[in-house]
Amino acid sequence: MTATATSSHELCAEALRRLRSDLPAARQLAGQAARLARRDPEPEVWRTIGHIHYLSGRYRPALRDYGRAARIARERCDWADLGKTLTGALQTLAYLGRYAEAEEWAREARAIFERDGDELRLARLDSNLANVLHRRDRAEEALELYESALARLIAAGDRDNAAITLRNLAVCAMSVFDFPRAMAAYEKARAFYESRGWQHLTAEVLDNVAYLHYLRGDYSRAIATYQDARRTSEERGNAHYQAIAELDQSDLYLELNLFSEAADYAARAASRLEKVGTGYEAAKAAVNRAVALGALGRRREAEEGLSAARELFLRERNAAWASAADLYRAVLRANSGEADEEELARLEAELSAGPLRGKAALAALILATSLSRRGRLDGARAACYRAEEYLREAPNRSLAIHVRLLEGRIAEREGERAHARERYRAAHLLIRDTRHRLPHDQLKVAYCGDKAEVYEALLALAMDDGRVEEALQMAEEAKSRGLADWLGFRSDLGPARSAAEFVEAADVQALRRELAWHHRELERADSAERRESVRRRLTTVEEKIGVALNTLRRVDPAFLELQGAPEVVIADLQRALGGDEALFDYAVARGELYLFRLTRGGLDARRLGSVAPLEAAARRLRFQIGRGAAGGGALAHHLESLYRAMVEPVEDWLPSADAGAKLIVSLPASLAGLPFHALPDARSVPLIARLPVTYTLSATVHSLTQRAPAPSSGALVVGVPDERAPLIGEEARAVAERLPGAVLLAGAEATKEALLANAPGRRWLHIATHGLFREDNPLFSSIRLGDGPLSLFDLYDLRLDAELATLSGCFTGLGAGTAGGEFLGLTRGLLFAGARNVQVGLWQIDDRSAREYMESFYGRLRDGCPVAAAWRESVLALRQTYPHPYYWAPWVVME
């Protein structure tokens, strides 16, 4: 062996040692080996360079260099080296969709190793071949090979390859929903990779674990883990695994109805994957992007994307996913009223016979929906039953919710009300459990967006049966429930908690995740013995949760009720009310408007009729308000018509105008922004002239914001004037002068950083500036500060102890109702931040009347007047000077 050959061999050996822990160094060493061996090339040089390309996600260059190594080995009759090269190239061939070549190379390598009696090399070959089988959706065969290879690698002491096989086994186990087996394998593999400093494989495992959390419905952990995986992949410069993380995140966002985000992630993934030549994953990304575009109404682009994806899958010889692409095209047509039931039945049969039984569930659901619309209820019920069967093997929470919802509709149409209620209730429980797992407000809102029908059905059935408490529970579950969850979860609401108490809360969440895992395992149990074993574990976990919850109940009962027992408790809503207060909780279900009246000691409910005329009147009212004081007679007419529909039938429910009396109003999302306090009776007397009227997003939100306030003092006043509203500066100075201990931030000093730093601990917060309501995306509604806009998301970063937070600006009180019953606007952010009361403006505000109102309001507040009373007295005083509602009615107090 020449000196040059010896040197290149040593360089390759060192490169292989550094391959998993320091890829740039390995690349440099392999380059030196290639230069030294240029005149007398060795197969291992090109094989090593091939490994480096593979781990960098550059599969075409990797295959080129594996081919060079194989050619040289054949020329030299170096069969052992040839076998190693063929084995090492299998995963690259699979990523490039060249499965027939992969299997041929595997057969040739096996013949070499069997002839040489090389059991270790055979084990490594089986591990790599299992990867190929898994990518071809032959999971059961792959699992057998992984298990066999793993046992032999461990017996031979090859810990490195055993750890890699372990990770691949976990991926395969996850694909058949064997979650415990997958997680156990992941944890072992990850611990080993981290101990060896193999960042590349650690990133891959993080991505796999994130996807496992997603499949289990643990979205908070999934998103956090994806972020870790992407950071690690970016640090390593591996485009392929960055793309895989983006592809998996697009799956997650599709399930959460965040279609713009899903389309963006899928597009980025597809672009990266096309560049590295991985057709299978690129086609899956194309499918996800097309599905998202279809949901966004971009049907032509969606169909083109699905057609392109189908061709990619056929090129990969993956008939199952080609059928899936066809299914999504069929779904697009069905959503446009063009369902092809024969095609759907064919696709269901094709998909149910292969590995994509979750897609078969979707085909069955769409078919059932079409049959139901045509009155073929027996066929629809049978298709729902098949969908449930598929979902037992391939769980999908969103699909399961929609299947149960459809089953409820079918049962109702057949007069089986008890069965319908049971199916709706099953869907509701799944929604509630999933919503509690979501890590932030945007996801909660989006996830529930297409599931409001479940709550409406349960509300309507309960009202028909006279179960008023249950009906109100459903109304509350459907109205700003995401915000209510967050108010319950926030650690800084209520008494401060010790570190030990935080641990207890975390333990409850961990136990709830374990409970959900066991429930999913129970669904898949295929024998009586296994079901009994799972039930025993379920009982143990439930007992642990009971002990933990009892401990937390002593710490903070309200916090606990939303943590471990999210059912709405009517008695808690009533306890938050004063003795002379009434809460009017309006709700919409199946096109009807319902009113629930809550008092300290009672609950009443009434159906008020169709909501459509009221929504039309509210739209006309907003138009007239937009005309300012010019909209006189028409504005008064719309206000009167809304009073007749919403208040007149229940005038006897209004609190008497005694001291301490107050009406609190919660409007449905479709009537958000309605100036309820300005609605006039037959004598043209507005409600606010009869008694104080405040607002809340829901009875549950009200009960959570009315807890004992944290100690606070002083005021923070922020004013940002401009040429359109020069009097804002004067307003801010006047307010600061009226409030003791006030800090004033004006103009350029009024930055986001200054606001975040000075707001905590203040009793009063007043922000005078312009507001921008984003109808296209209410989550990005904002107010203007000295250094730019402050959005709803930014308000979530605030930590307030304020008795009152005022946004004195045009449109600051506007918001949008979502299909899921959530109200999105700046009010939501301030309540989340910790304000007990929020004062906002509903429309374009006149500068001069606004200044007069604020001076009057804060003077009364300084003199000890409660917030609601100060608001009412100041509004009535302003009404004397400016009789038109445009001037006196924009201000509302939310609590």
Side-chain angles (χ1 to χ4, degrees):
M1 187 175 291
T2 66
T4 300
T6 301
S7 298
S8 66
H9 174 77
E10 290 172 351
L11 287 166
C12 285
E14 183 61 23
L16 290 173
R17 278 193 290 272
R18 298 193 185 195
L19 206 55
R20 305 287 182 181
S21 58
D22 191 349
L23 194 58
R27 186 180 292 113
Q28 185 177 16
L29 289 164
Q32 292 175 19
R35 286 191 292 274
L36 286 171
R38 188 168 295 154
R39 294 182 180 178
D40 189 15
E42 294 286 337
E44 68 174 341
V45 173
W46 296 118
R47 185 170 63 251
T48 301
I49 296 173
H51 290 335
I52 289 167
H53 284 315
Y54 164 73
L55 289 173
S56 303
R58 301 175 65 233
Y59 301 119
R60 291 191 182 96
L63 187 58
R64 177 199 63 205
D65 291 328
Y66 286 136
R68 287 173 174 170
R71 186 175 61 254
I72 295 168
R74 282 196 177 92
E75 289 171 355
R76 297 183 176 186
C77 299
D78 190 342
W79 307 119
D81 215 309
L82 176 60
K84 287 192 288 185
T85 300
L86 297 175
T87 300
L90 294 184
Q91 187 69 28
T92 299
L93 285 166
Y95 277 141
L96 294 172
R98 297 165 70 165
Y99 300 114
E101 289 174 77
E103 292 187 8
E104 177 58 36
W105 286 28
R107 280 193 291 272
E108 187 176 357
R110 186 177 303 281
I112 292 169
F113 298 145
E114 286 178 347
R115 185 189 61 206
D116 294 344
D118 193 336
E119 290 297 324
L120 178 58
R121 293 290 177 191
L122 283 168
R124 293 174 183 173
L125 171 64
D126 283 345
S127 179
N128 286 5
L129 181 58
N131 295 340
V132 177
L133 294 175
H134 179 211
R135 285 180 62 81
R136 303 199 74 179
D137 294 313
R138 292 160 61 181
E140 295 301 332
E141 295 173 67
L143 281 171
E144 287 184 17
L145 267 185
Y146 282 133
E147 292 285 7
S148 170
L150 182 62
R152 285 178 284 156
L153 289 168
I154 292 172
D158 188 352
R159 296 179 64 226
D160 289 3
N161 282 295
I164 294 168
T165 301
L166 195 62
R167 194 289 305 263
N168 292 335
L169 184 153
V171 174
C172 193
M174 186 170 66
S175 72
V176 294
F177 298 93
D178 192 342
F179 297 140
R181 183 182 188 183
M183 184 57 85
Y186 280 138
E187 292 302 332
K188 290 178 184 176
R190 181 180 176 182
F192 181 80
Y193 298 158
E194 288 179 342
S195 72
R196 299 295 295 271
W198 291 358
Q199 294 179 342
H200 170 74
L201 286 175
T202 300
E204 292 181 31
V205 169
L206 283 171
D207 182 66
N208 298 144
V209 171
Y211 195 67
L212 177 55
H213 288 316
Y214 154 64
L215 289 175
R216 292 171 55 200
D218 196 345
Y219 301 117
S220 177
R221 279 188 164 188
I223 289 173
T225 311
Y226 276 134
Q227 290 170 346
D228 288 345
R230 287 183 64 201
R231 272 195 302 272
T232 306
S233 291
E234 287 167 3
E235 289 167 4
R236 298 284 292 169
N238 189 309
H240 178 244
Y241 282 101
Q242 289 177 50
I244 294 300
E246 288 165 342
L247 171 59
D248 290 344
Q249 280 185 275
S250 70
D251 279 335
L252 188 154
Y253 285 127
L254 279 177
E255 182 160 336
L256 296 176
N257 300 325
L258 290 168
F259 300 116
S260 292
E261 290 84 351
D264 289 344
Y265 273 105
R268 287 202 296 269
S271 176
R272 293 185 200 270
L273 291 164
E274 286 168 6
K275 287 176 183 176
V276 298
T278 52
Y280 174 72
E281 283 91 350
K284 290 181 75 172
V287 167
N288 281 7
R289 180 174 182 272
V291 171
L293 292 176
L296 292 169
R298 294 159 63 178
R299 178 176 170 180
R300 183 181 60 80
E301 292 174 80
E303 289 198 348
E304 289 173 356
L306 289 169
S307 295
R310 185 180 191 276
E311 292 305 312
L312 280 172
F313 284 127
L314 290 176
R315 206 176 305 154
E316 294 281 314
R317 296 182 177 84
N318 193 316
W321 269 98
S323 294
D326 286 339
L327 170 62
Y328 287 121
R329 284 195 296 177
V331 171
L332 284 174
R333 290 193 288 272
N335 289 341
S336 300
E338 307 165 14
D340 185 333
E341 292 173 4
E342 288 186 7
E343 182 185 22
L344 286 165
R346 175 183 63 79
L347 290 168
E348 180 195 338
E350 288 179 6
L351 291 162
S352 65
L356 301 181
R357 292 175 72 79
K359 308 296 182 190
L362 175 60
L365 172 60
I366 302 302
L367 176 59
T369 302
S370 178
L371 292 169
S372 174
R373 286 173 180 159
R374 295 200 300 111
R376 295 180 56 188
L377 300 186
D378 288 343
R381 192 187 304 103
C384 283
Y385 176 80
R386 294 196 304 274
E388 293 267 21
E389 289 296 306
Y390 302 141
L391 290 171
R392 286 192 178 90
E393 296 182 31
N396 180 299
R397 284 170 175 260
S398 289
L399 275 183
I401 289 165
H402 286 291
V403 170
R404 291 167 192 181
L405 173 59
L406 180 56
E407 289 172 334
R409 285 197 218 115
I410 294 168
E412 253 196 292
R413 288 179 64 179
E414 294 187 326
E416 300 173 0
R417 291 173 59 84
H419 182 55
R421 182 173 177 274
E422 185 274 326
R423 290 287 80 196
Y424 291 139
R425 187 67 179 169
H428 161 251
L429 291 173
L430 261 183
I431 295 171
R432 190 180 66 191
D433 179 67
T434 303
R435 189 185 60 232
H436 278 272
R437 300 164 181 269
L438 299 177
H440 57 76
D441 199 44
Q442 184 187 14
L443 296 187
K444 290 176 183 287
V445 171
Y447 180 76
C448 295
D450 62 345
K451 302 172 180 68
E453 186 183 345
V454 173
Y455 299 105
E456 293 187 13
L458 286 167
L459 189 160
L461 287 176
M463 285 293 292
D464 289 346
D465 295 341
R467 299 191 303 272
V468 176
E469 283 203 12
E470 183 181 329
L472 178 55
Q473 286 176 334
M474 288 303 103
E476 284 296 298
E477 285 270 2
K479 188 186 287 188
S480 289
R481 191 60 193 180
L483 175 61
D485 288 348
W486 274 108
L487 290 175
F489 291 158
R490 275 193 53 233
S491 60
D492 56 342
L493 277 176
R497 295 176 175 80
S498 67
E501 290 162 352
F502 277 121
V503 171
E504 288 167 350
D507 286 346
V508 171
Q509 294 305 309
L511 288 168
R512 289 182 66 217
R513 286 192 291 269
E514 187 178 347
L515 191 68
W517 188 325
H518 289 323
H519 276 297
R520 182 160 287 188
E521 188 179 2
L522 186 62
E523 289 181 351
R524 296 189 62 251
D526 54 6
S527 67
E529 292 78 12
R530 187 176 177 188
R531 283 192 291 274
E532 182 58 32
S533 172
V534 176
R535 286 193 185 98
R536 284 196 298 270
R537 294 199 295 275
L538 274 170
T539 301
T540 301
V541 174
E542 288 167 349
E543 290 172 353
K544 290 180 180 177
I545 289 176
V547 172
L549 294 188
N550 284 333
T551 303
L552 277 175
R553 191 169 282 112
R554 292 192 294 272
V555 175
D556 187 340
F559 175 80
L560 169 34
E561 283 160 5
L562 283 171
Q563 280 280 348
E567 288 276 5
V568 174
V569 179
I570 305 302
D572 293 340
L573 308 185
Q574 293 174 310
R575 276 194 290 271
L577 297 169
D580 295 315
E581 295 178 348
L583 194 153
F584 277 18
D585 197 343
Y586 290 91
V588 175
R590 293 180 168 177
E592 297 286 312
L593 183 68
Y594 294 85
L595 173 60
F596 299 90
R597 181 185 68 158
L598 267 171
T599 62
R600 193 68 179 263
L603 170 62
D604 302 288
R606 187 172 296 179
R607 182 186 283 109
L608 297 179
S610 172
V611 74
L614 303 182
E615 292 170 344
R619 286 193 296 272
R620 290 192 290 268
L621 176 66
R622 295 184 191 106
F623 171 77
Q624 295 300 333
I625 288 171
R627 298 178 60 203
L635 179 64
H637 170 73
H638 297 318
L639 289 169
E640 289 166 5
S641 67
L642 287 163
Y643 181 92
R644 285 194 299 273
M646 299 181 71
V647 183
E648 194 171 79
V650 290
E651 276 190 329
D652 57 323
W653 284 4
L654 291 172
S656 59
D658 299 330
K662 184 170 69 174
L663 176 64
I664 306 159
V665 180
S666 173
L667 295 170
S670 60
L671 298 176
L674 179 70
F676 194 87
H677 61 287
L679 301 185
D681 62 14
R683 297 168 296 147
S684 298
V685 178
L687 273 174
I688 194 171
R690 298 164 64 178
L691 76 166
V693 182
T694 60
Y695 297 77
T696 186
L697 296 182
S698 74
T700 307
V701 168
H702 175 265
S703 70
L704 291 166
T705 58
Q706 297 310 298
R707 296 176 181 170
S712 58
S713 62
L716 175 65
V717 180
V718 178
V720 186
D722 62 17
E723 64 279 359
R724 292 176 298 163
L727 296 182
I728 280 179
E730 294 181 25
E731 175 193 319
R733 285 190 293 274
V735 170
E737 289 170 1
R738 279 165 172 73
L739 296 177
V743 171
L744 175 63
L745 298 173
E749 296 177 347
T751 63
K752 176 183 174 182
E753 182 179 359
L755 176 63
L756 294 176
N758 285 278
R762 304 288 178 181
R763 183 181 180 188
W764 297 303
L765 170 65
H766 181 92
I767 303 176
T769 183
H770 281 295
L772 172 66
F773 173 63
R774 287 277 303 275
E775 288 192 52
D776 61 321
N777 193 338
L779 288 163
F780 289 95
S781 297
S782 62
I783 56 175
R784 182 173 170 270
L785 291 183
D787 60 345
L790 182 85
S791 72
L792 171 58
F793 283 123
D794 296 319
L795 288 174
Y796 286 175
D797 292 334
L798 270 176
R799 284 297 173 263
L800 299 179
D801 308 298
E803 178 184 330
L804 172 70
T806 295
L807 291 181
S808 173
C810 306
F811 307 113
T812 53
L814 280 187
T818 70
E822 298 286 346
F823 177 83
L824 300 181
L826 298 169
T827 303
R828 183 186 187 92
L830 288 170
L831 290 171
F832 176 80
R836 294 185 73 225
N837 298 281
V838 176
Q839 183 172 217
V840 289
L842 294 178
W843 54 75
Q844 181 78 36
I845 293 169
D846 174 73
D847 271 359
R848 193 165 301 280
S849 60
R851 180 182 173 184
E852 291 180 30
Y853 166 77
M854 288 299 172
E855 290 177 356
S856 171
F857 172 76
Y858 280 107
R860 288 179 167 85
L861 206 61
R862 176 199 58 204
D863 295 339
C865 195
V867 171
W871 168 68
R872 179 183 183 234
E873 291 171 14
S874 300
V875 165
L876 292 176
L878 193 67
R879 183 170 175 255
Q880 296 300 312
T881 308
Y882 302 92
H884 197 287
Y886 172 76
Y887 295 102
W888 61 261
W891 304 105
V892 296
V893 171
M894 307 288 296
E895 57 181 47

